[in-house]
Amino acid sequence: MTKFELKKITLILSPGEIKKAAEIIRSGGTVAFPTETVYGLGANALDEDAVAKIFHAKRRPADNPLIVHISSREMLNMVAMDIPALAFKLMDAFWPGALTIILKSKDIVPDITTGGLDTVAVRMPDNEIAISLINESGVPIAAPSANISGRPSPTKAEHVIKDLTGRIDAIITGGDCRLGVESTVIDLTHSPPSLLRPGGLSLEEIISCIGEINVVEDSVKSPGMRYTHYSPKTRLILVEGEQKPALSRMSRLINEFREQGLRVGAIVSRESSPSIECDAKYVLGSVDDLKEVAGRLFSGLRFIDEAGVDVGIAEGVFPEKREGREIMNRLRKAAKEKVICGQ
Ligand code: AMP
Ligand code: MG
């Protein structure tokens, strides 16, 4: 916020105050709300001025389109057209849930919501608070993650309060997000479909429903992939590879930094934690429990900033299957420096 910008009064609402939140959405305001993936920052997806407030509050680049959240198939038909059979198969299997699908957009959706594309990203969230907010508002709600652009996504109400107080109209506090990573994004506007972003619904589950798909992660087709994401402000180094060599490399790095008089923080697996000596440590979870690791990842990335350290080291040894795919994807985007060892 520049010093000339007026600070908004941000209401902190309980889940019992959905009607108040819906009134704010209907009158063109911005409301952060929990979903099963991460907290979203919502506004009426069909109201250009309301959506502009999301971009302003987050400092989000204008060409990065938003996901439109819906609560019914009727709402789907308000925003999308030419919906292929595969889309219905996926919706029947996984909605409500952590799957965003890209479809042909109807003209009613303003350019600001779609980043000027002729397609629209749609999702039905699996969270009662989110669904009642959309229902009560009576409009589809555009909602990117409720963080300042580039920062780790918020998985707790406190994260949103920290990033966006004074910049948005209200926050509905609804506890911790169940999954803790964003939705999987699939483009269904051509055949075969392509995976644009790994996320809360695993590629394995999608393939078991519709067969093989293209994996074109980081393609220019998904504008969001061009930007820095999920990064702590503190310098962060990701150490990738087999667990054993990665562990000794991490220990060596930590010692080198500490010899220079720097304070070092580490985000590590439960298995490696006892062998890591540093100034502040966050245990993500077991390499055998990728769901737990995924759920704690963004809190871990925020911890590096909160711990008052000069440098952070992240252990990147999670197997790239199921949730491991999105864990490694987010870690690689968060860390500007990478060390790959043990190959
Ligand atoms: P976020 O809501 O910030 O978690 O990000 C939404 C993701 O969906 C970003 O990576 C966007 O680039 C992507 N996305 C949204 N709409 C579209 C679209 N119409 N075509 C391709 N990707 C999209
Ligand atoms: Mg985001």
Side-chain angles (χ1 to χ4, degrees):
M1 190 167 308
T2 71
K3 63 181 173 190
F4 304 110
E5 277 179 81
L6 273 185
K7 268 194 155 190
K8 280 178 184 279
I9 292 171
T10 302
L11 299 176
I12 307 291
L13 302 176
S14 73
E17 295 175 289
I18 295 284
K19 280 193 166 37
K20 211 183 257 181
E23 185 44 47
I24 295 172
I25 295 282
R26 274 198 303 274
S27 56
T30 47
V31 177
F33 60 97
T35 78
E36 82 280 31
T37 58
V38 301
Y39 273 76
L41 174 57
N44 179 353
L46 309 181
D47 176 341
E48 203 176 310
D49 296 337
V51 174
K53 292 177 189 164
I54 295 179
F55 281 89
H56 180 74
K58 278 186 58 97
R59 302 196 185 103
R60 181 174 172 111
D63 66 349
N64 191 2
L66 306 182
I67 296 172
V68 174
H69 292 71
I70 58 168
S71 58
S72 66
R73 294 285 170 98
E74 290 73 41
M75 257 186 204
L76 173 72
N77 292 321
M78 275 167 81
V79 297
M81 59 186 188
D82 302 342
I83 305 172
L86 268 190
F88 289 106
K89 201 165 177 196
L90 284 166
M91 286 184 251
D92 288 341
F94 302 119
W95 274 8
L99 175 69
T100 294
I101 55 182
I102 310 289
L103 297 166
K104 271 258 175 248
S105 179
K106 280 195 174 159
D107 285 345
I108 191 176
V109 187
D111 275 356
I112 188 165
T113 302
T114 62
L117 300 171
D118 60 0
T119 54
V120 62
V122 195
R123 178 169 105 82
M124 189 185 289
D126 185 17
N127 175 294
E128 256 180 60
I129 299 170
I131 290 291
S132 9
L133 178 66
I134 304 166
N135 274 335
E136 282 287 336
S137 306
V139 290
I141 295 184
S145 50
N147 54 282
I148 295 288
S149 266
R151 301 260 300 134
S153 300
T155 57
K156 297 169 183 289
E158 300 92 90
H159 298 160
V160 186
I161 291 169
K162 193 154 186 212
D163 273 17
L164 295 178
T165 300
R167 304 185 64 82
I168 63 177
D169 295 309
I171 300 169
I172 308 176
T173 58
D176 295 1
C177 299
R178 182 166 54 81
L179 298 177
V181 275
E182 300 87 345
S183 59
T184 303
V185 181
I186 289 208
D187 185 353
L188 288 173
T189 57
H190 40 229
S191 181
S194 27
L195 175 79
L196 299 186
R197 174 177 78 180
L201 179 70
S202 73
L203 184 59
E204 286 83 350
E205 280 178 276
I206 292 168
I207 290 172
S208 75
C209 177
I210 58 166
E212 282 301 322
I213 63 171
N214 281 332
V215 178
V216 293
E217 193 196 316
D218 282 56
S219 113
V220 284
K221 291 210 65 227
S222 191
M225 294 300 183
R226 286 203 283 273
Y227 298 103
T228 310
H229 259 96
Y230 319 120
S231 305
K233 292 177 189 131
T234 311
R235 177 180 177 192
L236 180 68
I237 303 169
L238 176 67
V239 180
E240 279 193 47
E242 296 292 322
Q243 196 162 15
K244 231 171 147 187
L247 183 56
S248 47
R249 191 63 184 271
M250 284 177 72
S251 300
R252 257 191 294 141
L253 271 173
I254 293 170
N255 288 340
E256 282 165 24
F257 283 124
R258 292 177 99 191
E259 274 162 22
Q260 294 167 36
L262 300 177
R263 283 172 54 79
V264 187
I267 48 181
V268 296
S269 65
R270 181 158 297 122
E271 288 78 4
S272 299
S273 175
S275 319
I276 296 280
E277 214 183 293
C278 59
D279 299 291
K281 200 191 297 179
Y282 188 97
V283 177
L284 289 171
S286 166
V287 282
D288 295 325
D289 186 352
L290 296 174
K291 272 196 172 44
E292 181 190 18
V293 175
R296 291 173 57 80
L297 185 62
F298 289 131
S299 286
L301 291 170
R302 283 177 179 259
F303 167 85
I304 290 296
D305 280 341
E306 287 150 13
V309 293
D310 302 296
V311 58
I313 311 277
E315 185 181 15
V317 298
F318 303 97
E320 288 186 68
K321 57 175 189 195
R322 303 194 66 85
E323 296 82 7
R325 223 177 253 116
E326 74 252 17
I327 293 167
M328 291 306 296
N329 169 277
R330 304 308 189 261
L331 280 172
R332 287 181 185 129
K333 286 189 191 298
K336 289 184 191 72
E337 295 168 70
K338 289 155 194 98
V339 176
I340 301 176
C341 50
Q343 288 181 333

